[in-house]
Amino acid sequence: MMKRNIRMIGLDLDGTLLDSNKVFTEYARKVIGQAVERGIIVLPATGRPVSGIPKEILGFPGIRYALTSNGARVLDLQENKVLYERLISYEAGGRLLEILKRYDALLEIYYDGIGYANEEDLKVVERYMPSAPMLAYIRNTRRPVEDVFRMYHGEHRPVDKIQALFASQEEKRAAFAEVKETLPEITVCGALHNNLEANAKEARKGVALIKLGELLGISKEEIMACGDGSNDIEMVKEAGLGVAMSNAIDEVKAAADYVTRSNDEDGAAKAIEKYVLQ
């Protein structure tokens, strides 16, 4: 396989760059360091808010940009500046929350890169998230509030993202169907087995990654993207070099140019080595 002329690499985090224990491995650090040394822009392209990105990634030498909340916001970390933003309107978010509150789910709202959830729900978060690593991530990054609905209407402004973690697959499927049918201004996806992530229609990883490239004078053909979940499909498809993890859902694999190893085998780093560095 010939090396591509790649100038920017967007990396999903959960299920892609991070292993199943949410670890940014030494091998991945080494490879990303080599890419940065060659002048390649490497950035997280994640559904997480900026406050949920591990500090060892945010502070990694040479990582200047971050695509967060599924493309709702692109940040210049060095300048502490928002480069691109597509938020859910207050009105659409309110209608979405009215739908979601009828389901057995832990609801989260995100403002300015920070996620908020009801304090009482966070006390029983195991009901909605049995995975120990994700459980730790949620507990360490969500800010508890007395009532997310009261907070939402008190803020009365556009929101980065709204997420629901469901107690059952049946609830998740029903909520997805209802939101898609009744709220065309909202786009929904699910990077986890039991979640619904809602963004503004224009907030998508693929759009935001290519927009950042345009701002930096980088064409889509010079962009590589790696992912595994439904929120990565467009990004992997639209990038000049789209890479799916072997643990990715079938739709991501179908959209990709290549399938690499799993996130527990440093698949993203190995793809960078194979297709960019060699």
Side-chain angles (χ1 to χ4, degrees), residues 4-258:
R4 298 289 192 100
N5 181 31
I6 297 298
R7 298 174 58 201
M8 186 166 78
I9 303 171
L11 298 168
D12 174 55
L13 296 183
D14 299 293
T16 301
L17 180 60
L18 303 178
D19 70 16
S20 294
N21 290 315
K22 307 302 175 188
V23 173
F24 181 30
T25 69
E26 287 299 325
Y27 186 87
R29 292 169 193 246
K30 181 191 76 171
V31 171
I32 289 174
Q34 291 172 351
V36 168
E37 286 175 4
R38 296 193 187 188
I40 297 168
I41 294 168
V42 182
L43 68 146
T46 179
R48 296 187 182 205
V50 67
S51 64
I53 299 176
K55 290 182 173 59
E56 58 266 32
I57 293 175
L58 284 179
F60 191 89
I63 290 186
R64 175 171 178 171
Y65 304 100
L67 187 163
T68 67
S69 295
N70 292 323
R73 186 176 286 119
V74 178
L75 301 166
D76 181 333
L77 302 169
Q78 183 175 306
E79 300 288 337
N80 192 26
K81 181 180 176 183
V82 176
L83 301 178
Y84 177 85
E85 193 173 65
R86 293 293 183 274
L87 307 182
I88 300 174
S89 71
Y90 168 71
E91 293 76 16
R95 291 194 295 272
L96 174 64
L97 287 172
E98 287 300 311
I99 291 172
L100 293 178
K101 76 178 184 180
R102 300 199 301 270
Y103 293 90
D104 185 1
L106 184 153
L107 301 182
E108 300 174 345
I109 56 176
Y110 296 77
Y111 287 107
D112 307 316
I114 299 171
Y116 301 86
N118 283 343
E119 184 174 12
E120 291 304 311
D121 290 337
L122 288 173
K123 289 178 181 177
V124 292
V125 66
E126 298 92 340
R127 173 176 173 78
Y128 306 100
M129 180 46 63
S131 165
M134 281 302 296
L135 195 61
Y137 161 65
I138 291 170
R139 283 176 168 157
N140 291 333
T141 59
R142 302 312 191 254
R143 291 193 185 177
V145 296
E146 185 177 344
D147 187 331
V148 291
F149 297 97
R150 188 183 306 158
M151 179 185 181
Y152 185 83
H153 294 297
E155 290 286 333
H156 202 279
R157 62 186 173 111
V159 63
D160 303 4
K161 186 177 85 165
I162 294 173
Q163 174 167 257
L165 294 168
F166 296 93
S168 73
Q169 288 296 309
E170 292 75 18
E171 294 267 307
K172 173 186 171 178
R173 284 191 290 268
F176 259 83
E178 185 173 359
V179 173
K180 285 182 176 181
E181 183 179 344
T182 59
L183 293 176
E185 66 270 52
I186 296 289
T187 183
V188 291
C189 62
L192 306 174
H193 79 283
N194 69 327
N195 79 325
L196 178 153
E197 297 177 56
N199 288 92
K201 202 72 173 177
E202 306 82 11
R204 304 192 301 275
K205 286 188 183 184
V207 172
L209 189 62
I210 291 169
K211 180 64 177 179
L212 176 61
E214 291 173 357
L215 293 172
L216 300 176
I218 297 172
S219 70
K220 63 184 293 184
E221 290 76 22
E222 297 172 309
I223 299 174
M224 174 181 177
C226 298
D228 73 301
S230 64
N231 57 344
D232 300 317
I233 297 170
E234 182 188 57
M235 176 175 77
V236 167
K237 183 176 181 179
E238 294 296 323
L241 180 62
V243 178
M245 312 302 292
S246 67
N247 53 284
I249 62 172
D250 290 342
E251 292 87 346
V252 177
K253 292 178 180 177
D257 297 297
Y258 303 99

